[in-house]
Amino acid sequence: MEAVVFDGAQMTVTYHQNFPMPKIVNDDDVMVKVAYSGVCGTDVHVIQGEFPALKTRPLPLGHEFCGVVAEVGEKSIFKKGQKVAVDPNWYDIAPCNLCDSCRKGSYHYCLVAGINSTVGLFRDGGWAQYCVVPQSQVYLLPEEITLEQAGLCEPYSCVAHGFDRASPLKVGEKILVVGAGIIGNLWVTTLHLHGHREVTVSEMNKSRLETVNKLKTGYRLVTPDILEKEKAEYDVIIDCTGVGKVMEINFNYMKPGGKYVVFGCCPPTHQASLNPFDIYNKELTVIGVKINPFSFPNAIGWIKAMGDRYVNYESLGVKTYELSEYQQALDDLKKGSISKAVFKIQ
């Protein structure tokens, strides 16, 4: 089968036309014929050696994907031909179920589970024509959701977790979204769906601001130099950049009692200097957001409610590629000419 394969030992990514097909091994396995598989910023970090992934053998990356059930194990509740999305994070089998995190229902903190056993990072992922996962990670899609829209289920599930972590977000509060890549755009659609209108989006790449404008939310769109000149304060800042220096700068724009949501995934080497007195004096809250624990159903519900009004590839700046075009997809992402690359797999 076709696949885009990461070799962690060599730190290389290559396209294969004859990568071995996966096989049903367990009674509850589901083989998914992949339709859409996203390229996440985390994938770029992995390829650049800035984020952990399996290094003992080559594997297809890709932790954001959906498709159609092709084959199932004997005890699976799924049927061939069903449209499904896959949650890449394994929490009912992989966690140790003994540590405090697991026993409190926070499997994403477990040193075994969560991001440490993710499909597409530590197990074969969706940058391939087929992928086998346990049925516990498979979600049946409503008829109202297209496979194209379902390709964004995983990133929306992460936003859903971030939304829960930051809540309550009161309508009328001044909110700043920093970064207008795909995650910033998904936050824009989420905030608008939930009735927020006092929202500013900051992005240094003006072509990305033009993409946000296509979403027709009426939000104020600015470049970082405007924020610096205004020195306005915000109730909530949602940082989608994954850049430590950006946090250091934008932390100065917090209102007393404000919340700073660290959503973008910074490489471990990034640092930011914050003033502890400001945190004390303004009673500021810093909120970290890690993956998507139990938030996949929310994401599916949101996408169903949003429909084409919000979840539209052209409006969101998403471009599709064939697996063989993986290098072009990565290059376009790095240039910032698109907000997101998604493999459309035949």
Side-chain angles (χ1 to χ4, degrees), residues 8-239:
Q10 303 296 322
M11 296 307 296
T12 58
V13 181
T14 51
Y15 167 71
H16 291 242
Q17 285 185 304
N18 296 300
F19 195 76
M21 278 279 292
K23 297 179 180 179
I24 296 290
V25 176
N26 302 306
D27 288 342
D28 64 346
D29 279 347
V30 175
M31 181 184 291
V32 177
K33 185 179 187 300
V34 182
Y36 292 87
S37 187
V39 180
C40 177
T42 301
D43 296 315
V44 177
H45 287 316
V46 167
I47 294 167
Q48 295 174 168
E50 299 170 335
F51 199 86
L54 188 70
K55 293 186 177 181
T56 55
R57 65 173 177 84
L59 83 166
L61 293 179
H63 58 274
E64 308 174 354
F65 63 100
C66 66
V68 175
V69 176
E71 191 178 339
V72 296
E74 292 181 2
K75 295 182 180 179
S76 175
I77 64 171
F78 292 94
K79 297 179 175 60
K80 291 183 181 180
Q82 290 180 318
K83 292 191 307 181
V84 295
V86 175
D87 181 349
N89 297 304
W90 204 5
Y91 54 85
D92 65 334
I93 301 172
C96 69
N97 292 317
L98 295 173
C99 69
D100 286 346
S101 295
C102 283
R103 291 186 170 186
K104 291 176 180 177
S106 299
Y107 68 87
H108 56 308
Y109 301 149
C110 180
L111 295 178
V112 177
I115 208 163
N116 301 292
S117 60
T118 296
V119 170
L121 292 178
F122 292 94
R123 292 180 290 147
D124 288 9
W127 288 6
Q129 289 180 296
Y130 294 88
C131 185
V132 170
V133 293
Q135 68 174 4
S136 58
Q137 292 177 253
V138 179
Y139 287 79
L140 185 65
L141 294 169
E143 284 300 317
E144 295 90 340
I145 295 180
T146 66
L147 282 171
E148 183 175 86
Q149 292 168 338
L152 297 175
C153 276
E154 195 279 342
Y156 262 121
S157 72
C158 294
V159 173
H161 178 48
F163 192 87
D164 289 343
R165 292 271 291 145
S167 293
L169 296 175
K170 299 177 182 178
V171 172
E173 288 183 319
K174 287 185 66 177
I175 299 176
L176 172 64
V177 177
V178 185
I182 187 59
I183 289 299
N185 293 350
L186 297 189
W187 269 101
V188 163
T189 58
T190 296
L191 292 169
H192 199 264
L193 176 73
H194 287 84
H196 294 276
R197 298 296 181 266
E198 299 297 318
V199 177
T200 296
V201 181
S202 172
E203 167 62 53
M204 63 187 302
N205 185 330
K206 291 186 178 180
S207 66
R208 285 190 166 183
L209 287 180
E210 292 171 5
T211 298
V212 180
N213 201 42
K214 292 180 182 179
L215 292 169
K216 298 180 180 179
T217 59
Y219 289 171
R220 192 171 73 108
L221 312 179
V222 300
T223 49
D225 59 304
I226 300 298
L227 296 180
E228 175 62 26
K229 290 176 183 177
E230 292 177 341
K231 298 196 183 323
E233 293 186 328
Y234 296 85
D235 298 292
V236 181
I237 297 180
I238 302 165
D239 191 332

